[in-house]
Amino acid sequence: MDFTGQHILSVNQFERDSLDYIFDIAAKMEPYAKRQKRTKVLDGAILGNLFFEPSTRTRVSFGCAFNLLGGSVRETTGMQTSALAKGESLYDTARVVSSYSDVIAMRHPDAGSVAEFAEGSRVPVINGGDGANEHPTQALLDLFTIQSELRAFDEKIDGMHIAMVGDLKNGRTVHSLSKLLALYKNVKLSLISPTELAMPDYVVDTLSNAGHEIIISDKMESNLGADIVYQTRIQEERFASQDEANKYRGQFRLNNEIYTKYCKSNTVIMHPLPRDSRSDANELDNDLNQNPNLAIFRQADNGVLIRMALFAMTLGVADKVDQYQCDVPWVTSK
Ligand code: NCD
């Protein structure tokens, strides 16, 4: 399996085998992410980290992943501070920035924009989210998390039951994750959303063509008896107006009382984050913070491992990371 020089634009480019391969490499990155070891395998390489839409963990974890492999990061954030605001095309930006970089990570509000950018790029481009379309690195880290959380209970992705809750229409993370789940067997999916924010038909079709059992519902409580509950935020930035988004805010809230009553005792709680903690939304309550099955921060931690794996793979050094290792001289608290 060779991803050297390839763009990572969509989960459609992965097979089941490639997922196992990526997850193996990601697991080997853990001692580096925990600062038990360092590596200089990407010493001298530059990541162009271009984020034209708000982001905290995706942007920072792309940058940290690159730094942890020994590389340097050059970053631009926001549309208004970039030449796109002066009318420059994605193609021109790509031609220029790719000459400064060895690999590029990019997020943009328009579906298809990262693929368009990649056409002008001379180096691999990794999609950090393109509008409501896809978020392949998030789907990989979600699946990696599901696999490791279920493993603790001797369970597997094949045969599991996952409930996805919230804005399934506009949430790119659930689109990409569902497409990856189509590569597994006998998955049961409860797709819980307001009717107007239901999972797009093309995603549901992909899941049913894979032979999965699908329940579509606008009721949350009765559908929470799953192995994984994947909660999402109402994607207010994708709505025509705030008023429109406000109609759906706070409709599906998971808290300790509901979890205790309707979930299994070992149901794993996931969320791509950010969770909207404002009182009128609060889809995932802070009163679950001490619940050992709340996997949201382990999920975010895994983002670094997956992104390290993708950089190492696209730059052709996945098998050289240990060869360039060195000591960590400072006192680590990880
Ligand atoms: C998600 C995104 O940007 O699609 N966040 C993330 O990347 N972890 C989900 C969201 O913003 O709700």
Side-chain angles (χ1 to χ4, degrees):
M1 213 156 306
D2 189 7
F3 285 87
T4 311
Q6 281 193 30
H7 302 305
I8 308 288
L9 299 175
S10 159
V11 291
N12 294 339
Q13 68 198 87
F14 301 122
E15 309 281 340
R16 174 85 180 247
D17 286 358
S18 26
L19 298 179
D20 294 338
Y21 175 73
I22 296 166
F23 295 167
D24 264 7
I25 299 175
K28 292 195 180 107
M29 298 298 179
E30 198 165 344
Y32 297 100
K34 288 191 164 156
R35 280 55 157 185
Q36 290 156 356
K37 298 196 260 183
R38 287 174 71 200
T39 176
K40 292 187 175 173
V41 72
L42 291 186
D43 185 22
I46 294 175
L47 165 68
N49 209 19
L50 312 183
F51 273 70
F52 300 113
E53 220 189 20
S55 174
T56 301
R57 80 219 78 238
T58 306
R59 180 171 59 83
V60 177
S61 68
F62 265 120
C64 286
F66 208 74
N67 289 149
L68 286 165
L69 291 167
S72 307
V73 182
R74 286 283 166 267
E75 194 153 82
T76 171
T77 53
M79 197 75 86
Q80 286 314 313
T81 51
S82 88
L84 293 178
K86 298 180 178 175
E88 185 169 55
S89 68
L90 287 169
Y91 180 87
D92 283 3
T93 305
R95 290 298 289 176
V96 173
V97 179
S98 62
S99 115
Y100 305 155
S101 320
D102 296 274
V103 59
I104 290 172
M106 178 179 162
R107 169 174 286 187
H108 190 284
D110 296 340
S113 54
V114 183
E116 185 185 334
F117 178 93
E119 281 172 28
S121 174
R122 307 176 229 187
V123 299
V125 176
I126 303 183
N127 184 358
D130 61 322
N133 184 35
E134 277 231 35
H135 196 344
T137 64
Q138 180 72 38
L140 290 170
L141 78 88
D142 287 344
L143 203 58
F144 181 82
T145 305
I146 293 172
Q147 181 170 285
S148 64
E149 296 290 324
L150 290 183
R151 205 172 264 160
F153 303 119
D154 243 352
E155 290 169 18
K156 290 196 301 213
I157 298 174
D158 291 314
M160 74 163 182
H161 178 191
I162 181 169
M164 296 183 182
V165 186
D167 185 353
L168 306 185
K169 177 182 177 204
N170 299 302
R172 54 193 170 200
T173 72
V174 285
H175 301 165
S176 292
L177 177 58
S178 298
K179 289 196 230 168
L180 284 188
L181 287 174
L183 299 173
Y184 289 76
K185 293 198 178 66
N186 301 323
V187 177
K188 177 172 169 187
L189 293 107
S190 300
L191 305 177
I192 305 157
S193 69
T195 317
E196 299 85 348
L197 303 184
M199 187 71 94
D201 287 344
Y202 79 94
V203 181
V204 176
D205 289 347
T206 310
L207 290 167
S208 52
N209 290 340
H212 294 338
E213 180 184 344
I214 302 160
I215 295 162
I216 295 177
S217 175
D218 60 359
K219 307 269 176 306
M220 184 179 78
E221 280 80 352
S222 52
N223 284 295
L224 288 179
D227 301 303
I228 307 281
V229 172
Y230 188 104
Q231 182 63 280
T232 66
R233 180 180 66 87
I234 298 299
Q235 307 282 293
E236 57 185 8
E237 64 276 33
R238 312 262 178 251
F239 287 79
S241 68
Q242 263 310 322
D243 285 350
E244 180 71 18
N246 286 344
K247 285 202 255 170
Y248 305 106
R249 288 160 69 85
Q251 276 195 22
F252 298 112
R253 298 167 187 245
L254 184 59
N255 59 27
N256 191 40
E257 190 189 334
I258 292 172
Y259 181 90
T260 310
K261 197 159 170 201
Y262 296 101
C263 291
K264 302 195 295 182
S265 61
N266 62 354
T267 294
V268 176
I269 308 162
M270 294 178 60
H271 190 306
L273 301 179
R275 54 177 156 172
D276 187 341
S277 294
R278 290 169 288 193
S279 56
D280 56 345
N282 206 22
E283 70 265 4
L284 188 53
D285 201 287
N286 282 333
D287 69 4
L288 284 161
N289 282 359
Q290 302 313 317
N291 186 318
N293 297 317
L294 184 79
I296 56 175
F297 300 117
R298 295 190 286 276
Q299 188 182 353
D301 291 350
N302 288 336
V304 172
L305 306 183
I306 288 291
R307 294 180 174 117
M308 287 177 81
L310 292 174
F311 287 134
M313 286 161 42
T314 50
L315 294 174
V317 295
D319 57 350
K320 297 192 180 70
V321 175
D322 291 337
Q323 196 182 315
Y324 287 84
Q325 70 172 276
C326 48
D327 291 338
V328 179
W330 66 91
V331 178
T332 66
S333 42
K334 299 247 165 204

